[in-house]
Amino acid sequence: MPLDLVLRQARLAERGGELLDIGIAAGRIAEIAAHIAADVPAEQLDGRLVIPGFVETHIHLDKSCILDRCSCEQGTLQEAIASVAAAKRAFTEDDIHARARRTLEKAIVQGTTRMRTHVEIDPRVGLKSFHAIRRLGRDYAWAIDLQICVFPQEGLTNDPGAEELLIAACEQGAGTIGGCPYTDTDPHEQIARIFEIARRFDLDIDFHLDFDLDPSWMHLDEVCWQTDAHKWGGRVAIGHVTKLSAINHSRLADIGRRLADAGVALTVLPATDLFLMGREHEQHVPRGVAPAHRLLDHGVTCSLATNNVLNPFTPFGDCSLIRMANLYANIAQVGRPSDFAACFDMVTTLPARLMNLADYGIAIGHPADLVVLDSRGPAMAVAELAQPLFGLKRGRRSFTRAAAMIHHPVPSSACSGRSVPG
Ligand SMILES: [Zn+2]
């Protein structure tokens, strides 16, 4: 098949420092070689890093961009849930679509090519968010693969009608199911019901879990037990798990081995966890961020993700996953280049594994999802917050960001004698 485009002198993280050409045909990667002789349009990359795009495992598009509708005083998790629950009553499908679109476009220009967005389902909002986000996914399929994870933010067993709506969303094509046991009056029963629905519809599971700093109990044990019981290993993820920031390395190692054995993956949401945890402290505020990089050594699949953007859970956000990797490295006191590279993996290859994305990666036959970073390698990309320059989705250019330029003064001898005032 004739090539449509060649990226020349690309640096691929998987191939060390070698510079390679990537040939694209009909939206797929057709050739990877030291030099591709083809008289077709080409982009000269001069050794810049090329990745298959960032992978966002955990974001809430449906409740993004609502800061102007919420007023919070304490900054706690409970206040954020209550505030969004009140604002949610006024959501309309078009309103959800418009706000989610703004956030999704930010993610696209930050180089994200695959995304799992959590979508709230309950009797107040009904399926409005689900329908709006499903429409958005179709509208932007040219730029990003959007997977919907439906979940009951305000509880399941204590919220009559919520389970029927969750099942309706699954019947209408939700890609994943989530849970939030910590807001349920019967957390273990919620976990059990989510597993039941997941089995019925053959879905992966992604829980919000153990989101406080009390290590005396964890729902994690029940999730691992249920994962084993249902033989659902490799299909279950848990997010936040900030309790893991409140235990010593020995207990962390035990839990890491348990998660790895069960096939339960972990997502850390550094911006939200930093913002909401430890509010009861006046000084020496704990960071409250699970040490994901230490769990990698035990074989746990870990990802770093954005979670919330411009709402009471996280009142900031640019949807940059390289920023999230840098933020995590900074607050987790990661300093070695090899650990920086691990942080890069936690926004690329590892979240792809968490989402079971079989066709992710720069390999022949895979979709030509390719993002060029202004960097020479993954570790330095994390250290320097390397900016994406442009991206392709299935071979078509999906975004471009102009590289920054510096304008040195022109030496006076090179001027014609005029100077610019001011
Ligand atoms: Zn979340």
Side-chain angles (χ1 to χ4, degrees):
M1 185 180 290
L3 297 179
D4 302 315
L5 176 69
V6 176
L7 302 186
R8 297 203 180 279
Q9 295 214 293
R11 194 180 304 269
L12 308 187
E14 308 90 316
R15 307 270 192 116
E18 201 181 353
L19 299 190
L20 295 163
D21 291 355
I22 305 170
I24 297 160
R28 294 193 172 271
I29 297 169
E31 197 175 346
I32 303 171
H35 178 72
I36 297 175
D39 185 18
V40 295
E43 295 280 355
Q44 178 55 252
L45 303 184
D46 294 326
R48 290 193 176 83
L49 183 63
V50 179
I51 65 168
F54 294 109
V55 182
E56 174 76 77
T57 60
H58 190 133
I59 193 168
H60 296 261
L61 295 176
D62 57 331
K63 57 183 176 185
S64 67
C65 306
I66 54 168
L67 266 188
D68 56 345
R69 307 177 194 187
C70 303
S71 60
C72 293
E73 299 295 326
Q74 297 145 14
T76 61
L77 172 62
Q78 291 70 26
E79 187 185 42
I81 292 172
S83 177
V84 172
K88 200 164 51 175
R89 290 174 181 271
F91 285 5
T92 66
E93 195 177 316
D94 286 346
D95 160 55
I96 296 161
H97 186 276
R99 289 183 290 97
R101 175 182 173 173
R102 201 174 131 198
T103 306
L104 188 68
E105 287 192 354
K106 280 193 202 178
I108 291 166
V109 299
Q110 297 288 2
T112 299
T113 52
R114 318 268 186 133
M115 174 184 281
R116 172 182 289 174
T117 185
H118 293 251
V119 170
E120 295 190 14
I121 305 282
D122 61 53
R124 272 77 57 202
V125 78
L127 295 179
K128 277 185 274 191
S129 298
F130 174 69
H131 289 144
I133 301 299
R134 196 174 52 167
R135 175 155 60 93
L136 186 75
R138 289 196 292 260
D139 294 346
Y140 281 82
W142 52 270
I144 191 163
D145 297 336
L146 188 61
Q147 182 188 93
I148 295 179
C149 176
V150 290
F151 86 110
Q153 171 75 75
E154 297 170 39
L156 184 68
T157 69
N158 51 306
D159 198 0
E163 187 165 348
E164 289 76 6
L165 285 163
L166 265 184
I167 289 169
C170 293
E171 285 169 343
Q172 293 177 41
T176 316
I177 188 160
C180 194
Y182 63 79
T183 58
D184 205 301
T185 48
D186 190 345
H188 285 200
E189 179 61 19
Q190 179 184 127
I191 293 168
R193 289 198 193 177
I194 295 299
F195 269 94
E196 271 179 34
I197 299 171
R199 287 189 61 152
R200 178 171 157 194
F201 291 95
D202 192 23
L203 300 175
D204 291 0
I205 302 174
D206 199 333
F207 286 106
H208 288 70
L209 209 77
D210 290 338
F211 195 10
D212 61 49
L213 301 181
D214 176 3
S216 64
W217 60 271
M218 296 189 188
H219 291 144
L220 181 152
D221 305 315
E222 180 68 13
V223 169
C224 287
W225 186 86
Q226 292 266 358
T227 302
D228 286 340
H230 291 284
K231 297 187 170 50
W232 225 243
R235 304 191 66 179
V236 179
I238 52 178
H240 294 295
V241 203
T242 49
K243 288 174 184 285
L244 298 183
S245 71
I247 59 176
N248 62 29
H249 288 182
S250 166
R251 189 171 168 203
L252 185 72
D254 290 343
I255 291 175
R257 284 188 286 271
R258 180 79 183 97
L259 290 170
D261 287 348
V264 173
L266 172 78
T267 297
V268 172
L269 298 313
T272 304
D273 299 345
L274 274 171
F275 185 71
L276 292 178
M277 291 295 98
R279 288 285 177 161
E280 64 278 20
H281 294 257
E282 275 192 21
Q283 56 191 20
H284 299 308
V285 180
R287 301 173 191 208
V289 175
H293 67 292
R294 297 187 187 282
L295 294 170
L296 296 176
D297 295 338
H298 301 291
V300 184
T301 299
C302 296
S303 77
L304 304 172
T306 300
N307 199 31
N308 280 290
V309 177
L310 302 177
N311 73 15
F313 293 88
T314 319
F316 13 72
D318 57 0
C319 302
S320 165
L321 283 171
I322 196 73
R323 184 175 70 81
M324 216 42 67
N326 175 284
L327 175 66
Y328 174 83
N330 204 159
I331 55 110
Q333 301 181 326
V334 167
R336 293 179 304 185
S338 60
D339 289 336
F340 284 162
C343 291
F344 193 84
D345 292 344
M346 286 194 280
V347 290
T348 52
T349 52
L350 293 174
R353 187 188 301 166
L354 181 151
M355 289 177 65
N356 292 307
L357 302 175
D359 62 354
Y360 177 84
I362 300 179
I364 291 171
H366 282 190
D369 295 356
L370 300 164
V371 171
V372 179
L373 296 183
D374 197 6
S375 180
R376 305 287 160 182
M380 287 309 290
V382 170
E384 297 182 304
L385 286 158
Q387 294 302 298
L389 296 175
F390 70 89
L392 309 174
K393 183 66 177 170
R394 289 183 282 277
R396 178 188 171 276
R397 172 96 62 142
S398 53
F399 76 92
T400 302
R401 296 166 70 102
M405 289 182 68
I406 193 157
H407 300 277
H408 289 283
V410 178
S412 56
S413 59
C415 296
S416 57
R418 286 180 57 202
S419 64
V420 178

